[in-house]
Amino acid sequence: MADELEFHLKRPFTAGGKEIKQLTLRAPTTEDVIAVGMPLEPTANGRLSFNLAMMRDYAVRLGNVPPSTILKMDHRDFMKLAMAMATHFFGDSAAEE
């Protein structure tokens, strides 16, 4: 697992007077997982379901940004970020479920 995830936005936005073009997220720690929870759950048909509120909480925590920054993201960028976090940070954990 890489130490961090560099996520480049397709739709940059302004937050706190700064243009946000990318987010850099550190890898989650055990403390993060205990605090936020596991954002992926297996479904009855063998797929994984995202808990988007948890993914938002991870983006805030791992990106060291306020919640308002994540909420200003275009929804398509947020969904791609959630998928990138899931595979980058939780892929091995999710596969073992």
Side-chain angles (χ1 to χ4, degrees), residues 53-75:
M54 283 185 184
M55 293 305 248
R56 176 209 54 219
D57 294 345
Y58 272 108
V60 166
R61 196 173 173 108
L62 304 179
N64 196 30
V65 295
S68 60
T69 296
I70 301 303
L71 295 176
K72 286 184 180 182
M73 288 178 71
D74 182 90
H75 71 281

